[in-house]
Amino acid sequence: LREPARRADELLVTSARTRAALDRMTFELADFLRATGEPLADITHTLQVGRKRFAERRYAVGGDPRALAEALAAAAAAPAAAAHPPGGANERDAVFVFPGSGVQRVDMAAALRDEPAFRAAFDDCAERAAPLIGADLRRVVYPEPAERDAMARALDGTVLSQPAIFAVDWAIAQQWLAWGIAPRAVLGHSLGEYVAACLAGVFSLDDALRLVAARGQILDRLPPSAMVSVLAPPARLEPMLGGGLVIGAINGPESCVVAGVRDAIDRLEATLAAAGIQFRRLRYVSATHTPLLDEHLAGFERLVAGCARRPPASRVVSTVTGTWLTAEQATDPAYWRRQFRDPVQFSAALATLLSSGSRTVIEVGPDATLSALVRRHPAAAGHAVVATLPATPAPRRPLEALGDAWAAGAPIDWRRFRGDARRRRVPLPTYSFDHERHWVDPPDPAPPREGSAIAQAARRPAAPPPAAESAVLDPAGPRDATERALLACFRELFRADGVGIHDDFFALGGDSLLALRLVALIARRLDVQLALKAIVEAPTVAALAARIAAPAAPAGQTSNCLVRLQGGTRTPPIFFAHGGGGHALVYRELARAIDPERAMYGFSARGIDDDQPPHASLEDMASHYLELARAVHPDGPYLLAGASLGGVIVYEMARQLAASGHAVPLCAMFDAPGPGMLAEGEADPADALAFHLGAHRWLDPAPLRGLPLDDQLRRTIEAAQAAGVALPFADLAQGRRLVAVWRNNARVLLRYTAPPWPGGEVQFYSAAEPYAGLPTHPERGWIGRCAVRVEVAPGDHMSMVVPPHAASLGARIRAYLTRTGSLS
């Protein structure tokens, strides 16, 4: 009897010497999968252990042979996505990098919870840590719906976040080991170095958890402090430091983290803005690697001295010295005191890790933060980077991370991957060799008889000589002028030379702000005006080049308003309506926080990315957006959400849907002002610019009022450059179009009377923090028009739907949908 498959999904891998051979083999495998009756587990096992590994690689993940066949056929029709090892090599050594503070969130690494190795390791950590922290990490990281908000707040503190991050990193490492990938070396960023040391045998798991828990408790006792990431070399920042500020981490040649007391960090940010230096406040409640720790270090060193310490059994890179960790350092309590206090030398440590051989760098953590840092580092050229849980628009199966690592050249121990499962080898399509025709002139000079096979062959065009296999080195390189220009934009934006044409914008660390910058860069370099939605729907150089090359659809046959925020197998989808700013990309992280496996769409304002006239009324907007929603989800029910103006739009959409007999289980409004709550009158464009670009925080509208619009836009561009702020428009024409959309959105909002919605219910999320120029209780305008459930969500009018507050708001919406039975 054949043993049943133990996995819901299987990883199918195939490789060849050349891309042409790989494509043929892929189509042959797809045909075989459609017709065979062999167990899928036996087929994938045969490919894993019974075939030689070549440089050109492809994989697919799934549990159904026919679905795998279609995935393979689609992959063969697309450009090669994986950059194989350079110089024709077949494999790269795998190395692990572990992230530290800042990656914590509720449900982190939830996609791996059904993987046995991950679950067992995380449960083990939770049980060992419970006496140390007085809590069960399983309830903290993966809470019940009613506890999600409380646990999200708890994870903002260091007492629980430090052991939680350690446990998740450790469990992911155990999963990679169970998948058959063992690292040749490890590197951890700050807290992550404890995971690296534990994996190398320096500390036992119990002692590592004890140290990490103590670390979190010490950080919790520090005065109010903060950390800010700055795009500048250390030497440029040194003159700006004072008041206890120090460089807490050097993440790259031009990337540092400055840490210190909160007031001093606030002053530094003002200095950075005036100097035009880009920066971002990090999600840390305590500043590690600063003098604030000094009074606690002696006690921490004594705690380390009480733990058993052993020389590392495998290679570890130190982020204290930036070089390989020695046995003397690993076993010296004073080293771990320095590791807590001294700046993180991640840039130097990464250069050491990548200094010999070709590596597959695997980020072993719940995020893709370190992956972005590695890709931007000069030492990363020629190496591959894989994130266990990359930030991608579409949901991913866990084995796809293993597929990424295999395609990048990481060696896999397939026996360990299968464990004690007994599989058999089955007959499969054989290797597809490249064939080259060779014509030998016949000795008889007489011409061949007309109509003969020889005469017909002689008239065929000569086959082009095949490309030498050694020339096929980097499938991630650009193939035409458009890809070269786009790749230059990506590399300039991310300050990384190792970006390839198939690297995902969001996996590289992109967000809505960087997307705006990318659109502006593309406009300058290629003279091509892309809609912002293009970055969401085509987030790689190759996909964007294909979109630019595709002929435009005839007028009236397409709409730029519908944006696919993320793919997914779960339905019904959630539709997000744009706010007054007009863009839907702002909802991308919120969509992922609600449900990363559910299809999500957004509506952008008409005219924001083209010259179409804007909608004349809010009712027209709602009707148009409903047409687009029905095109992708014809039968309902409908889940709707929107911020500010978007909340008002989804209210009208829900009214129209209810009138036609459709169910609307979710009509979520985020800080949407009710009718009559906003001041009447046409505002000066200067006020619209200040409101939408930062609510008077960096742009003062007073000097702009009364000036011609073009002068206002020019001065806004100059002010943004001085403040180091990215704008959502690259030139005057785009600025005029954007201001026109903003002003039209304000007009249609003021004219909308919001008729009652009998029997309807709104889930209203009110921002906890006030915002200049807006009412403090916007929900009051909706009472009496329909049933209103009100919750207060963290953040202000603008920030509540974006990170870091998107995670909390997403958890609230998911909990509501779960309670009401609206999730499928």
Side-chain angles (χ1 to χ4, degrees):
L1 294 178
R2 292 178 177 176
E3 180 178 329
R6 298 187 182 182
R7 299 176 180 273
D9 286 327
E10 291 289 341
L11 173 62
L12 185 150
V13 298
T14 185
S15 67
R17 294 183 184 276
T18 67
R19 172 65 191 273
L22 180 63
D23 287 346
R24 290 193 301 271
M25 291 171 63
T26 300
F27 285 118
E28 290 169 5
L29 268 175
D31 290 340
F32 177 83
L33 286 168
R34 294 186 186 101
T36 187
E38 296 286 357
L40 185 57
D42 287 346
I43 296 171
T44 55
H45 170 71
T46 304
L47 289 167
Q48 290 161 0
V49 304
R51 299 295 171 91
K52 290 188 66 175
R53 294 181 293 275
F54 298 106
E56 293 284 349
R57 300 184 177 194
R58 185 171 287 137
Y59 75 90
V61 174
D64 173 72
R66 295 193 65 83
L68 268 179
E70 299 311 315
L72 282 173
H84 58 68
N90 289 339
E91 291 188 345
R92 292 181 172 109
D93 289 335
V95 294
F96 287 176
V97 293
F98 298 96
S101 301
V103 299
Q104 72 272 14
R105 64 181 184 276
V106 167
D107 282 339
M108 54 180 166
L112 296 174
R113 286 201 74 198
D114 290 334
E115 292 291 324
F118 176 88
R119 180 181 288 273
F122 186 80
D123 288 350
D124 185 30
C125 283
E127 290 165 5
R128 294 171 188 264
L132 303 171
I133 61 176
D136 187 339
L137 288 176
R138 288 167 291 199
R139 291 187 59 187
V140 174
V141 179
Y142 306 113
E144 296 297 326
E147 297 181 308
R148 292 180 67 84
D149 286 348
M151 295 309 165
R153 290 190 295 272
L155 281 173
D156 280 334
T158 59
V159 171
L160 294 182
S161 67
Q162 294 272 302
I165 294 166
F166 177 95
V168 168
D169 283 5
W170 174 261
I172 296 175
Q174 300 309 306
Q175 186 58 59
W176 279 103
L177 294 173
W179 277 338
I181 289 191
R184 292 294 297 270
V186 290
L187 164 63
H189 191 291
S190 190
L191 170 66
E193 189 162 339
Y194 290 83
V195 190
C198 189
L199 195 67
V202 175
F203 298 114
S204 69
L205 183 56
D206 283 326
D207 284 341
L209 283 166
R210 185 176 299 110
L211 295 175
V212 167
R215 205 173 185 266
Q217 291 156 10
I218 290 171
L219 291 171
D220 187 57
R221 296 197 292 269
L222 298 186
S225 53
M227 305 181 84
V228 60
S229 176
V230 186
L231 287 180
R236 188 174 182 189
L237 295 178
E238 290 289 353
M240 303 179 189
L241 303 182
L245 292 180
V246 297
I247 293 178
I250 302 175
N251 291 328
E254 295 188 357
S255 176
C256 298
V257 173
V258 178
V261 294
R262 200 169 296 163
D263 290 346
I265 289 290
D266 292 340
R267 291 190 295 272
L268 173 67
E269 288 179 337
T271 303
L272 294 171
I277 299 174
Q278 297 180 31
F279 62 89
R280 178 172 59 90
R281 182 75 67 96
L282 298 180
R283 187 192 168 196
Y284 297 153
V285 294
S286 296
T288 54
H289 309 287
T290 70
L292 298 174
L293 292 166
D294 287 350
E295 63 181 285
H296 304 284
L297 294 175
F300 184 75
E301 184 176 347
R302 286 194 297 271
L303 184 63
V304 178
C307 298
R309 305 171 307 282
R310 290 167 292 275
S314 56
R315 304 193 81 187
V316 181
V317 188
S318 163
T319 56
V320 177
T321 65
T323 58
W324 296 107
L325 182 68
T326 66
E328 292 76 14
Q329 291 167 339
T331 55
D332 183 359
Y335 171 85
W336 295 100
R337 172 180 179 147
R338 291 182 59 199
Q339 200 275 344
F340 200 4
R341 169 63 175 84
D342 290 0
V344 180
Q345 302 290 341
F346 183 76
S347 181
L350 186 60
T352 297
L353 184 71
L354 303 179
S355 61
S356 60
S358 186
R359 310 286 202 188
T360 298
V361 182
I362 299 175
E363 179 171 0
V364 182
D367 210 332
T369 304
L370 289 189
S371 298
L373 290 178
V374 174
R375 289 189 179 97
R376 297 174 193 173
H377 198 283
H383 302 276
V385 184
V386 173
T388 307
L389 296 163
T392 55
R396 285 166 55 94
R397 296 177 168 94
L399 284 180
E400 289 185 70
L402 182 61
D404 287 343
W406 179 84
I412 298 175
D413 182 346
W414 294 110
R415 291 176 297 179
R416 182 158 189 171
F417 173 77
R418 285 290 172 193
D420 61 355
R422 299 177 62 185
R423 306 305 328 170
R424 67 186 185 91
R425 299 194 190 190
V426 295
L428 297 177
T430 57
Y431 187 90
S432 180
F433 290 95
D434 291 324
H435 296 284
E436 181 182 355
R437 291 180 68 249
H438 296 275
W439 181 256
V440 179
D441 290 332
D444 183 0
R449 180 172 51 84
E450 187 63 30
S452 68
I454 294 176
Q456 293 174 19
R459 285 197 295 268
R460 295 188 190 124
E469 291 178 9
S470 60
V472 186
L473 297 182
D474 188 9
R479 297 162 297 187
D480 55 38
T482 300
E483 288 188 346
R484 278 193 294 276
L486 288 171
L487 191 59
C489 294
F490 269 61
R491 289 176 173 175
E492 177 179 338
L493 185 72
F494 291 108
R495 302 189 179 195
D497 293 333
V499 177
I501 64 171
H502 303 296
D503 286 327
D504 185 280
F505 171 81
F506 296 101
L508 289 169
D511 54 22
S512 57
L513 182 62
L514 287 177
L516 292 169
R517 297 181 188 177
L518 180 59
V519 168
L521 272 175
I522 292 171
R524 289 200 302 270
R525 284 180 179 264
L526 282 80
D527 194 24
V528 172
Q529 300 295 337
L530 286 177
L532 193 61
K533 64 178 275 185
I535 310 301
V536 183
E537 297 177 342
T540 67
V541 166
L544 280 174
R547 176 166 290 211
I548 291 171
Q557 291 189 13
T558 187
S559 172
N560 281 337
C561 295
L562 185 66
V563 182
R564 189 187 69 163
L565 295 173
Q566 70 181 33
T569 56
R570 292 181 183 166
T571 58
I574 299 179
F575 294 94
F576 295 85
H578 62 82
H583 284 297
L585 179 58
V586 69
Y587 298 116
R588 183 179 179 276
E589 292 304 319
L590 175 60
R592 287 178 55 81
I594 296 172
D595 187 351
E597 297 185 0
R598 184 173 299 274
M600 304 275 185
Y601 295 89
F603 304 112
S604 291
R606 193 164 69 183
I608 202 163
D609 289 316
D610 52 36
D611 293 321
Q612 293 188 61
H615 290 100
S617 69
L618 192 138
E619 291 86 349
D620 289 345
M621 278 185 184
S623 297
H624 182 207
Y625 299 160
L626 281 178
E627 290 177 13
L628 301 177
R630 290 189 181 105
V632 296
H633 187 64
D635 301 322
Y638 290 92
L639 307 180
L640 308 174
S644 191
L645 168 68
V648 185
I649 294 171
V650 298
Y651 173 85
E652 176 59 25
M653 292 173 68
R655 265 191 6 94
Q656 294 184 21
L657 284 166
S660 61
H662 287 289
V664 186
L666 176 69
C667 181
M669 305 170 75
F670 312 137
D671 219 46
M677 302 194 75
L678 296 177
E680 297 282 346
E682 186 80 4
D684 190 287
D687 295 302
L689 284 165
F691 180 85
H692 288 289
L693 299 179
H696 316 283
R697 292 171 183 167
W698 63 270
L699 180 64
D700 182 3
L704 305 182
R705 293 191 185 108
L707 296 176
L709 178 58
D710 280 7
D711 289 342
Q712 291 181 341
L713 292 171
R714 288 190 189 94
R715 294 197 181 188
T716 299
I717 292 171
E718 292 169 0
Q721 291 172 343
V725 173
L727 292 175
F729 53 88
D731 52 36
L732 295 182
Q734 283 184 306
R736 291 187 211 106
R737 188 162 59 232
L738 199 57
V739 170
V741 169
W742 292 345
R743 301 184 77 184
N744 182 73
N745 285 342
R747 282 193 293 269
V748 300
L749 177 60
L750 288 170
R751 293 172 185 168
Y752 180 62
T753 60
W757 176 18
E761 180 176 287
V762 160
Q763 187 70 11
F764 196 100
Y765 297 91
S766 182
E769 302 171 20
Y771 200 78
L774 293 176
T776 54
H777 292 285
E779 70 277 4
R780 292 176 179 172
W782 300 102
I783 296 173
R785 287 175 164 81
C786 61
V788 182
R789 294 175 177 265
V790 181
E791 288 189 42
V792 177
D796 61 27
H797 185 80
M798 295 290 193
S799 68
M800 65 186 300
V801 298
V802 298
H805 302 309
S808 177
L809 181 58
R812 293 164 188 263
I813 297 170
R814 185 182 180 92
Y816 172 78
L817 292 172
T818 301
R819 287 197 306 270
T820 58
S822 302
L823 289 179
S824 59

